[in-house]
């Protein structure tokens, strides 16, 4: 029984890779599930392999959980498609899209054919793993993340034992706290300037009075 060694890389993260050994008579679903045992992703998502050219141009599709339109068109199914039936080249390539709702694209390349299976290995077998697969976030997470961020922003209120009814008090503190101190400093500076202005004219006060007397 021949063993295919496939190298799998993320299209957008080519530094992350997996090498999987799998029997030639196993199916594309077996390879699909082996890939996601190595990434930690849930395998039960609508996905497809495409027979590919050297330039990753898609050809025939092999689908898992296809939609109604693809079923009606008679698309090949992963669970019924053996790998050996689609290997036409010793370096055969497959373009692979995982989870059409939130897709990740992979390049899958046959890099070696091993003539004899190792009786001590259970196939598919993860032969090599490089890098951690990027995290997949649930579509509802952004809203939850926003709530978390909002909660973190106001944690200082909780630390100070504030409750919603304290909003007016908090606003009053804004008017009478640091801002009030700045206002007092500004008022003090204005008063000081006013005093200087008064002093300047007070020095000439007697002179003005004498001048008025002489006028009369």
């Amino acid at each position: 029984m021949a063993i295919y060694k496939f190298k799998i890389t993320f299209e957008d993260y080519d530094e992350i890779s997996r090498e999987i050994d799998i029997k030639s008579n196993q199916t594309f679903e077996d390879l699909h599930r082996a890939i996601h045992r190595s990434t930690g992703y849930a395998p039960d998502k609508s996905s497809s392999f495409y027979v590919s050219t050297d330039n990753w141009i898609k050809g025939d599709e092999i689908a898992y959980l296809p939609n109604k339109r693809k079923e009606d068109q008679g698309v090949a199914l992963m669970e019924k498609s053996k790998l050996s039936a689609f290997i036409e080249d010793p370096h055969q390539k497959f373009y692979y899209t995982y989870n059409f709702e939130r897709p990740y694209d992979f390049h899958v390349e046959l890099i070696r054919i091993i003539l004899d299976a190792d009786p001590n290995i259970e196939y598919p077998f993860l032969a090599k793993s490089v890098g951690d697969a990027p995290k997949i976030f649930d579509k509802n997470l952004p809203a939850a993340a926003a709530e978390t961020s909002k909660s973190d922003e106001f944690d200082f209120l909780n630390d100070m034992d504030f409750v919603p009814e304290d909003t007016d008090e908090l606003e009053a503190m804004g008017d009478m706290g640091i801002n009030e101190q700045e206002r007092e400093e500004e008022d003090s500076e204005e008063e000081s300037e006013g005093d200087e202005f008064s002093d300047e004219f007070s020095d000439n006060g007697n002179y003005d009075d004498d001048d008025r007397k002489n006028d009369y």
Side-chain angles (χ1 to χ4, degrees):
M1 178 65 62
I3 300 298
Y4 294 147
K5 181 183 287 291
F6 287 103
K7 182 176 182 179
I8 299 99
T9 57
F10 284 82
E11 184 175 59
D12 297 325
Y13 304 89
D14 55 6
E15 73 280 5
I16 301 171
S17 66
R18 304 289 186 266
E19 290 183 11
I20 293 175
D21 295 349
I22 188 169
K23 293 179 179 179
S24 60
N25 66 347
Q26 290 184 289
T27 68
F28 280 90
E29 183 181 359
D30 293 324
L31 179 57
H32 162 82
R33 292 185 176 278
I35 290 172
H36 297 304
R37 279 197 296 272
S38 75
T39 61
Y41 300 164
D44 294 322
K45 302 290 184 180
S46 179
S47 307
S48 286
F49 287 95
Y50 301 87
V51 178
S52 175
T53 67
D54 288 341
N55 296 321
W56 304 107
I57 297 174
K58 297 177 183 178
D60 293 339
E61 181 178 6
I62 307 103
Y64 179 71
L65 300 178
N67 59 30
K68 186 65 166 56
R69 178 181 59 81
K70 290 182 179 181
E71 286 181 346
D72 292 342
Q73 292 175 348
V75 68
L77 301 177
M78 286 191 196
E79 61 267 29
K80 296 181 179 180
S81 302
K82 291 185 178 181
L83 294 165
S84 58
F86 292 83
I87 301 295
E88 301 173 353
D89 186 290
H91 298 285
Q92 183 68 57
K93 294 180 179 180
F94 298 96
Y95 192 96
Y96 172 55
T97 298
Y98 163 73
N99 187 7
F100 285 102
E101 292 183 359
R102 301 179 69 84
Y104 270 108
D105 294 319
F106 298 79
H107 291 165
V108 179
E109 182 177 4
L110 178 62
I111 60 173
R112 186 181 176 190
I113 298 176
I114 303 167
L115 296 181
D116 297 313
D118 186 333
N120 298 315
I121 291 178
E122 182 178 351
Y123 297 95
F125 171 70
L126 178 62
K128 186 177 181 180
S129 177
V130 177
D132 295 329
K135 301 296 184 184
I136 291 182
F137 296 103
D138 186 86
K139 61 184 178 181
N140 294 322
L141 187 61
E147 288 298 322
T148 300
S149 176
K150 184 177 180 181
S151 176
D152 291 344
E153 182 179 354
F154 290 99
D155 272 351
F156 76 96
L157 295 181
N158 296 328
D159 293 340
M160 297 174 66
D161 295 328
F162 274 94
V163 293
E165 289 76 11
D166 293 327
T167 303
D168 293 339
E169 182 178 350
L170 180 62
E171 291 176 352
M173 288 178 62
D175 290 337
M176 300 181 63
I178 295 176
N179 292 338
E180 180 65 20
Q181 180 178 352
E182 292 175 350
R183 189 178 297 112
E184 289 175 356
E185 291 176 355
E186 291 176 357
D187 292 345
S188 176
E189 291 176 358
E190 291 175 358
E191 290 176 1
S192 176
E193 291 175 358
D195 291 342
E196 292 176 2
F197 183 80
S198 299
D199 291 343
E200 180 180 350
F201 283 93
S202 63
D203 291 339
N204 298 323
N206 294 331
Y207 174 79
D208 291 341
D209 290 340
D210 292 340
D211 285 347
R212 290 193 184 92
K213 292 178 181 179
N214 292 333
D215 289 340
Y216 292 100

